[in-house]
């Protein structure tokens, strides 16, 4: 198998921008280990398809990362470990003295209960701060799809969070 | 951006992202990807069965991604698996009297099989609450739909009274419920073998990891320890804890990993997985809650209005079946 002509580019890219990409991957995958696996999978795909790269290598790697995540990158290997769902919608998840749940951790937990596409959209919109148009471009879908996925994803997260706190005011009150 | 809830989402993502461990050299990820690519090509050319990248990720020591939360090597050297397991056993035993154990298990490629009136229920995930002689197990489909809710009180386990357990179940598929007396045999059925050479029954290899931990984890951990089937494998951050990782060695598939909280020595998470044949895995997440009235209330399962009472006595055996691999 021939090596990519500019394999060093990928290493340089990872040195310069790897931290941000890894953070995105962890948010998309739900855990450090799964995030590293996801980024690794994206890198491998880029290595395989280097000849197809046209334009920015970073943009291509980012698109690959998000598309792998949005497609449920491990759909075909369900035997692999995944973090368990945080059953935030169960009464048992209600915080108490013994199990004080940090609200933000819990909210990140609800992210794992979204569909892969919704999760990718939420991370792009609220972590990368991409616009709907930019998000649509990365994921290769329409702005309408992004809008709907973001709306449904946030609605679901809000529903799940409602089992701990009952209003946005309360949510806001826990920010500090 | 937008409402306070959206702001909270952004803030949560930023904080989680800030907590991501960064490998010492990120470029190494790119090199590893190239090596992995070459290895895969070699395997494909050689006509060998490829081990997937995901499979490798399970067994690659965490040292390859060393970060600030890695413990000192001195700490690890002075800790033996026997120490850790003994501490864990003691902690589980001590917690059994004061804490409610909650185990959430997620099944991939395998399902937990429940007997229900007139049919069987196959769950993709279960949550089990255990406290003293009480247990409640809820079974879910892959889409999180609640399928079955079963509570069992085991008077015979701790008191040796020989009384039957009382099993109350709610079947959300047929909209029925039952209450029955059943011999409390689960703990006996899942006792570890007396000899290290004895072959484990297929279901039993899963027993110590996500069934109610109090009565079973200790004996099983002792069994693995006695038979030299466990070793320490550094630390790994799971479920927000910089946990001690214990892995099974010298065992045929399925393999097992247990993560223990170094502060409490209570299990945080466990994983059973196969690496050959029909692949499946079971990941269990442990929580230990104080026995507050609210938590103890979890053992009183609600009977939904409109559900029909039926006569049914479930067999006292938990079963697992292999599911077709989903694509």
């Amino acid at each position: 198998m021939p090596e990519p002509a500019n394999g060093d580019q990928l290493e340089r890219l990872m040195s310069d921008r790897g931290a941000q990409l890894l953070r995105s991957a962890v948010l998309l995958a739900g855990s450090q280990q799964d995030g590293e696996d996801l980024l690794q999978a994206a890198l491998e795909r880029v290595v395989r398809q280097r000849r197809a790269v046209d334009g920015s290598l970073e943009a291509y790697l980012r698109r690959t990362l998000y598309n792998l995540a949005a497609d449920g990158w491990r759909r075909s290997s369900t035997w692999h470990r995944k973090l368990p769902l945080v059953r935030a919608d169960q009464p048992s998840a209600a915080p108490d003295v013994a199990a004080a749940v940090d609200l933000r951790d819990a909210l990140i937990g609800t992210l794992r209960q979204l569909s892969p596409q919704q999760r990718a959209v939420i991370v792009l919109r609220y972590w990368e701060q991409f616009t709907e148009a930019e998000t649509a471009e990365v994921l290769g879908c329409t702005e309408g799809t992004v809008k709907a996925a973001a709306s449904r994803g946030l609605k679901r997260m809000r529903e799940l969070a409602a089992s701990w706190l009952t209003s946005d005011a309360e949510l806001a009150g826990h920010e500090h | 951006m937008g409402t306070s809830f959206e702001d909270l989402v952004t803030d949560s993502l930023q904080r989680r992202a800030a907590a991501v461990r960064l490998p010492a050299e990120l470029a190494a990820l790119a090199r590893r990807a190239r090596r992995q690519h070459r290895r895969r090509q070699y395997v494909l050319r050689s006509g060998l069965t490829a081990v997937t990248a995901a499979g490798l990720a399970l067994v690659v020591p965490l040292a390859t991604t060393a970060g600030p939360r890695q413990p000192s090597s001195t700490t690890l050297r002075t800790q033996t698996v026997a120490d850790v397991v003994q501490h864990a056993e003691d902690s589980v035993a001590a917690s059994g009297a004061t804490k409610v154990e909650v185990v959430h298990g997620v099944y991939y490629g395998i399902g937990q099989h429940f007997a229900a009136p007139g049919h069987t229920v196959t769950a993709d995930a279960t949550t089990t609450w255990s406290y003293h002689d009480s247990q409640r197990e809820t079974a879910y489909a892959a889409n999180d739909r609640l399928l079955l809710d079963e509570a069992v009180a085991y008077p015979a386990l701790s008191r040796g009274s020989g009384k039957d357990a009382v099993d109350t179940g709610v079947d959300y598929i047929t909209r029925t419920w039952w209450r029955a007396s059943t011999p409390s045999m689960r703990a006996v059925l899942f006792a570890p073998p007396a000899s290290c050479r004895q072959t484990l029954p297929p279901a039993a290899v899963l027993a110590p990891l996500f069934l109610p931990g109090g009565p079973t984890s200790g004996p099983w951990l002792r069994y693995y320890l006695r038979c030299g089937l466990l070793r320490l494998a550094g630390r790994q951050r799971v479920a927000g804890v910089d946990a001690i990782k214990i892995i099974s060695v010298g065992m045929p598939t399925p393999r097992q990993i247990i993560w223990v909280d170094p502060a409490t020595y209570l299990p945080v998470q466990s994983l059973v997985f196969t690496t050959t044949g029909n692949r499946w895995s079971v990941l269990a997440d442990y929580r230990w809650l104080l026995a507050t009235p609210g938590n103890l209330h979890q053992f009183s399962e609600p009977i939904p209005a409109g559900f029909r009472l039926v006569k049914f006595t479930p067999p006292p055996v938990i079963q697992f079946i292999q599911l077709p691999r989903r694509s």
Side-chain angles (χ1 to χ4, degrees):
Chain A
M1 183 70 189
E3 280 292 302
N6 293 306
D8 291 344
Q9 280 183 6
L10 208 54
E11 287 185 33
R12 279 201 299 276
L13 172 63
M14 285 303 292
S15 293
D16 297 341
R17 300 288 300 152
Q20 178 79 359
L21 289 162
L22 179 58
R23 289 190 172 104
S24 301
V26 170
L27 292 175
L28 288 166
S31 74
Q32 177 86 27
Q33 184 68 58
D34 285 347
E36 289 179 15
D37 288 352
L38 173 59
L39 181 53
Q40 192 75 37
L43 285 165
E44 283 182 44
R45 190 162 289 201
V46 171
V47 168
R48 283 203 302 273
Q49 300 182 356
R50 278 295 305 281
R51 288 179 191 135
V53 175
D54 185 19
S56 162
L57 183 59
E58 180 184 352
Y60 183 78
L61 177 57
R62 186 178 300 279
R63 269 202 308 277
T64 304
L65 181 75
Y66 274 91
N67 278 292
L68 277 174
D71 290 344
W73 111 97
R74 278 176 177 154
R75 196 177 289 160
S76 60
S77 55
T78 52
W79 61 274
H80 190 274
R81 77 183 183 88
K82 291 180 181 176
L83 283 181
L85 301 178
V86 176
R87 294 206 167 274
D89 51 346
Q90 298 298 311
S92 60
D96 59 24
V97 178
V101 177
D102 181 270
L103 183 60
R104 290 173 191 80
D105 286 348
L107 208 54
I108 292 298
T110 66
L111 198 62
R112 296 182 199 130
Q113 298 191 50
L114 306 185
S115 71
Q117 188 192 42
Q118 287 171 350
R119 195 160 52 232
V121 167
I122 295 289
V123 174
L124 277 166
R125 293 280 287 122
Y126 297 101
W127 152 244
E128 305 271 16
Q129 301 284 308
F130 278 22
T131 64
E132 287 172 349
E134 290 166 338
T135 302
E137 189 184 340
V138 169
L139 296 178
C141 61
T142 66
E143 284 187 50
T145 303
V146 167
K147 201 174 289 188
S151 170
R152 288 184 190 132
L154 282 176
K155 180 171 178 284
R156 178 69 176 142
M157 290 175 78
R158 194 187 295 267
E159 286 169 359
L160 295 168
S163 61
W164 314 304
L165 294 172
T166 55
S167 70
D168 275 8
E170 280 182 281
L171 290 170
H174 276 70
E175 289 190 21
H176 301 290
Chain B
M1 177 188 292
T3 68
S4 61
F5 183 75
E6 290 170 272
D7 292 341
L8 185 63
V9 170
T10 298
D11 187 45
S12 303
L13 290 166
Q14 284 172 348
R15 282 176 185 241
R16 177 67 188 92
V20 168
R21 287 195 312 273
L22 298 177
E25 195 190 359
L26 281 158
L29 291 176
R31 284 196 294 274
R32 197 193 306 165
R34 290 165 64 189
R35 280 198 307 271
Q36 183 66 19
H37 177 59
R38 284 197 299 268
R39 186 181 298 129
R40 183 171 285 123
Q41 292 303 314
Y42 172 78
V43 168
L44 289 173
R45 281 200 304 270
S46 304
L48 301 174
T49 303
V51 177
T52 68
L56 284 173
L58 280 171
V59 295
V60 166
L62 193 69
T64 57
T65 56
R69 290 198 180 89
Q70 289 295 304
S72 72
S73 56
T74 309
T75 307
L76 283 179
R77 271 200 298 273
T78 56
Q79 237 174 356
T80 66
V81 68
D83 292 337
V84 174
V85 170
Q86 184 62 54
H87 275 304
E89 262 193 71
D90 293 346
S91 297
V92 169
S95 297
T98 57
K99 291 191 177 172
V100 176
E101 179 190 20
V102 187
V103 184
H104 181 65
V106 184
Y107 309 74
Y108 300 98
I110 195 172
Q112 184 164 339
H113 190 95
F114 292 86
H119 70 124
T120 53
V121 172
T122 302
D124 289 284
T126 59
T127 300
T128 306
W129 290 67
S130 302
Y131 182 67
H132 288 206
D133 298 331
S134 297
Q135 180 188 327
R136 181 178 173 192
E137 189 159 31
T138 43
Y140 300 88
N143 62 2
D144 281 356
R145 186 165 69 94
L146 179 60
L147 304 173
L148 196 81
D149 189 351
E150 190 172 7
V152 188
Y154 292 102
L157 275 185
S158 63
R159 297 173 208 151
S161 65
K163 288 180 183 173
D164 285 348
V166 177
D167 185 305
T168 306
V170 180
D171 182 348
Y172 282 82
I173 298 172
T174 60
R175 296 173 62 83
T176 58
W177 70 282
W178 72 86
R179 181 164 291 147
S181 292
T182 179
S184 21
M185 294 172 60
R186 289 186 182 184
V188 176
L189 285 172
F190 289 107
S195 162
C196 293
R197 293 183 180 176
Q198 197 171 332
T199 306
L200 297 179
V205 294
L206 306 176
L209 296 173
F210 60 89
L211 288 178
T216 54
S217 289
W220 276 98
L221 284 176
R222 277 196 296 276
Y223 164 78
Y224 288 123
L225 194 60
R226 175 162 48 84
C227 299
L229 299 173
L230 297 174
R231 77 169 171 84
L232 295 184
R235 298 240 185 153
Q236 189 166 16
R237 193 159 186 86
V238 294
V241 175
D242 186 21
I244 300 169
K245 186 177 180 181
I246 303 170
I247 64 173
S248 63
V249 289
M251 290 180 71
T253 189
R255 303 178 62 174
Q256 304 173 46
I257 305 176
I258 305 165
W259 289 269
V260 174
D261 186 335
T264 64
Y265 284 95
L266 289 170
V268 176
Q269 207 166 79
S270 64
L271 172 71
V272 182
F273 63 98
T274 57
T275 54
T276 58
N278 291 325
R279 285 172 176 163
W280 53 261
S281 63
V282 182
L283 186 68
D285 175 51
Y286 294 71
R287 295 170 65 200
W288 303 84
L289 310 179
L290 285 182
T292 60
N295 287 330
L296 293 178
H297 185 68
Q298 293 297 326
F299 293 96
S300 306
E301 62 178 339
I303 310 294
F307 277 42
R308 185 167 49 90
L309 175 63
V310 294
K311 196 169 182 178
F312 177 66
T313 304
V317 182
I318 295 175
Q319 298 175 332
F320 300 88
I321 62 168
Q322 190 89 9
L323 296 176
R325 289 182 69 182
R326 282 154 269 174
S327 60

